[in-house]
Amino acid sequence: MKRLFFVTIFIFIISCSDIDFVYKEDKNLINPLYEKTEVSSLGININFMNSYLPMFFGNNKDDHFNLSIKIEQNKTKSSVETNQAVSKLRYELIFIYTLVLNEKNCVTFNKELVSYFSIIPKSSGYNYGTDSSLEKKYELAITENLNRFVSIILDKDLNSCL
């Protein structure tokens, strides 16, 4: 019985010897702009934006890059009732990222990323449920857009000008 147990353990260990882990290299985990970038946001004022920027870019220690994030918003009434009340609003947030390399004073990356979300207003007046839902959707759109930006710049050479 012991022999069968040891043979089973041995076969199990041999079969698992060629497993590669997803996070084997730290390349996918590191933001190349973290603690090297002075970040400024322009355009519409979204409350969550300034609280999320330090999470993505840290505190500027090296002052190697300047990142400007311009945010534009478009609201579209996608469904209107017969009494002209809006039953569905579609928000389009346009994030324009401009990354400047300070030592060469040139633009190294320029990209426009768009995030969408829809909301169904429950009332024409103040409605806590609709307002908190709208805030949560803004928050999700911001984090999704910043994550996409960071994943795009991982493959770019940020030390050469456009």
Side-chain angles (χ1 to χ4, degrees):
M1 190 68 172
K2 282 186 175 182
R3 188 177 232 171
L4 181 64
F5 175 73
F6 287 119
V7 169
T8 307
I9 294 295
F10 180 73
I11 291 173
F12 178 73
I13 291 173
I14 294 297
S15 67
C16 294
S17 66
D18 200 25
I19 294 177
D20 288 331
F21 293 99
V22 175
Y23 295 117
K24 185 176 179 181
E25 298 175 12
D26 289 339
K27 179 185 175 205
N28 295 332
L29 300 175
I30 297 174
N31 178 356
L33 300 179
Y34 194 77
E35 293 187 346
K36 299 178 186 175
T37 308
E38 182 68 36
V39 183
S40 63
S41 62
L42 310 163
I44 67 166
N45 186 15
I46 300 175
N47 299 336
F48 303 106
M49 189 68 174
N50 293 330
S51 62
Y52 278 102
L53 290 177
M55 286 185 346
F56 281 90
F57 302 106
N59 296 326
N60 184 16
K61 293 181 181 176
D62 293 345
D63 202 30
H64 197 66
F65 298 101
N66 277 335
L67 177 63
S68 171
I69 306 171
K70 184 178 180 186
I71 307 167
E72 298 173 355
Q73 173 180 287
N74 295 326
K75 290 183 194 177
T76 307
K77 297 175 184 176
S78 57
S79 181
V80 180
E81 300 293 326
T82 56
N83 64 354
Q84 297 302 308
V86 176
S87 61
K88 190 170 186 181
L89 276 171
R90 181 178 175 171
Y91 287 80
E92 177 183 71
L93 295 175
I94 304 164
F95 292 75
I96 303 167
Y97 295 95
T98 306
L99 185 66
V100 176
L101 180 62
N102 287 339
E103 64 187 36
K104 295 182 182 178
N105 199 19
C106 65
V107 176
T108 61
F109 184 80
N110 195 4
K111 183 83 172 171
E112 181 177 299
L113 298 175
V114 181
S115 293
Y116 301 98
F117 65 89
S118 296
I119 191 162
I120 300 170
K122 301 293 182 197
S123 165
S124 60
Y126 182 77
N127 185 330
Y128 178 75
T130 301
D131 292 343
S132 63
S133 174
L134 181 62
E135 288 177 2
K136 188 66 175 172
K137 295 212 177 189
Y138 270 118
E139 190 176 349
L140 291 171
I142 289 169
T143 55
E144 180 266 334
N145 204 293
L146 288 171
N147 279 322
R148 268 197 301 159
F149 170 72
V150 170
S151 67
I152 289 171
I153 63 169
L154 285 174
D155 298 330
K156 303 290 182 191
D157 179 20
L158 299 177
N159 292 318
S160 61
C161 299
L162 291 180

